[in-house]
Amino acid sequence: MMRGMGNMQGMMKQVQKMQKEMTKAQAALNEKEFVGVSTNEYVKATFTGDKKMTGLSVVSDVIDPEDSEMLQDLVMMAVNDALSKIEKETEQTLGKYTKGMPGF
């Protein structure tokens, strides 16, 4: 009976260690900057790993009061590009911890 309890304690220690490593990896990811760009880099959107926008730059040549839809499209492209980069890096960084776990 005691033998099973030792295995359980060992597993719990492994889980706690994994949680600490995961928390540390997530914190490092949150501090990292991701820059998304549109076509020809007319628009750049900068985010942190926790998906908070920290910057947006637009090349003045693409600001046309007669064609605001083009600028909107370029902003969406840059934002979506940055979010895609965050998602990819998150999967690469944290995926090793969550592989095979239900709900992740």
Side-chain angles (χ1 to χ4, degrees):
M1 189 78 140
M2 288 297 278
R3 187 176 202 117
M5 292 300 282
N7 287 341
M8 186 63 119
Q9 286 177 336
M11 273 188 2
M12 290 303 290
K13 283 184 181 181
Q14 284 181 322
V15 168
Q16 288 172 340
K17 180 182 178 191
M18 189 175 76
Q19 283 178 322
K20 284 181 185 178
E21 289 174 1
M22 219 168 111
T23 300
K24 205 188 300 187
Q26 181 68 58
L29 189 64
N30 289 350
E31 291 179 16
K32 191 171 180 179
E33 274 194 348
F34 295 85
V35 179
V37 295
S38 69
T39 306
N40 296 324
E41 297 189 11
Y42 290 132
V43 177
K44 292 182 182 180
T46 306
F47 285 81
T48 56
D50 56 353
K51 300 178 183 174
K52 292 188 176 137
M53 186 183 281
T54 59
L56 181 68
S57 64
V58 179
V59 173
S60 60
D61 295 348
V62 298
I63 301 173
D64 180 358
E66 302 297 316
D67 189 8
S68 62
E69 286 181 14
M70 182 184 69
L71 181 56
Q72 291 168 2
D73 289 344
L74 292 171
V75 170
M76 280 192 297
M77 268 186 195
V79 168
N80 288 333
D81 184 46
L83 293 175
S84 176
K85 289 175 180 177
I86 293 168
E87 197 66 37
K88 183 177 178 183
E89 179 120 358
T90 299
E91 175 59 34
Q92 289 176 345
T93 303
L94 301 179
K96 62 183 173 188
Y97 298 109
T98 58
K99 259 195 177 58
M101 295 176 97
F104 287 97

